[in-house]
Amino acid sequence: MSYTGPGFDPPQPRRPRRGPLTVALAALVPGALLGWAVYAAVGGSGGDEGPGSTAASASASPSAPASASASSRTSSPAPSASSEGEKPSAPAAASGPLEGKVVVIDPGHNPENFKHTAEINRQVDIGTNRKACDTTGTSTNDGYAEADFTLDVAHRMRTLLEKQGAAVKLTQDGDRPFGPCVDERARIGNEAKADAVVSIHADGSGTGNRGFHVILPGAVDAGAADTRAIVGPSDDLGTRIAGNFVRVTGSAPSNYVGDGTGLVTRKDLGGLNLSTVPKVFIECGNMRDSKDAALLTSGAWRQKAAQGISDGIVSFLRG
């Protein structure tokens, strides 16, 4: 997901009460600091210095050619998926520590969005203003589409969470021609009465900008949007996901937003503004940086990403 586009508000600075991510991890994830130390010692994925800019350095996201999109989907087969309207059918979802919990995974964008520019450019109400229904997302310089990445990680997460007993629903599974729009994505989580919702993305920022960040909802009370009740639990969910993401993947927090915490608060995203249940976004890395792209295009790394995000969700739901 690129930071470019109409209606973008720059990432809000973190509240002073929050220290660096590594401090938060010490309380939440005992193994995280050890994982970070190992990462730093071996020169892991986030060691490069970047320009530290945000929207000004983000590049526009080209529409990936249909051939490139199809190729990337077939090169990394994922577990078979249920259709959007069906309940998870895996037997493992019937029992486990997350039995009775509902998790909605929101794979960002749609592999076919670039074929439906008129539809995805339609403006929808996000409470604070109006914004495009959806976007094409970004891609690596070699043409691996963000929408393919998000679906792959979502499938891996679904398998992991169903094994824990959760009922898992995807907002889209490559089973619709475009979208859904950002307001519908929020509505799917709300109507499912989800205990947690996570929207999966990868960024399209400038070369040298590296690392992941988790986007938390800011306090919004405008029009159809009222996030005040979910700000606290979403903050908890996002912090746990960030900690476990570091621990499992060894990836560094973003070097260009979040002041090294890996956490950013925003009020301009309809998927967060319109949510009535705990929800966060995660930008798993920057597709336009060659070193981050090497991770994002690796099936083994995507499995780690799915595990880290899922572990954060499990930690949140189990308290």
Side-chain angles (χ1 to χ4, degrees), residues 230-297:
I230 68 163
V231 166
S234 297
D235 188 286
D236 185 23
L237 172 63
T239 300
R240 290 173 187 266
I241 288 174
N244 281 278
F245 200 82
V246 169
R247 177 180 61 82
V248 177
T249 68
S251 291
S254 170
N255 64 8
Y256 59 102
V257 291
D259 297 324
T261 67
L263 298 167
V264 176
T265 299
R266 289 177 63 173
K267 299 180 180 181
D268 65 312
L269 298 176
L272 294 180
N273 286 1
L274 300 175
S275 183
T276 59
V277 294
K279 182 174 182 178
V280 300
F281 280 47
I282 181 167
E283 300 278 3
C284 296
N286 176 21
M287 293 195 121
R288 292 308 182 84
D289 178 87
S290 60
K291 293 182 179 179
D292 267 13
L295 299 176
L296 297 165
T297 55

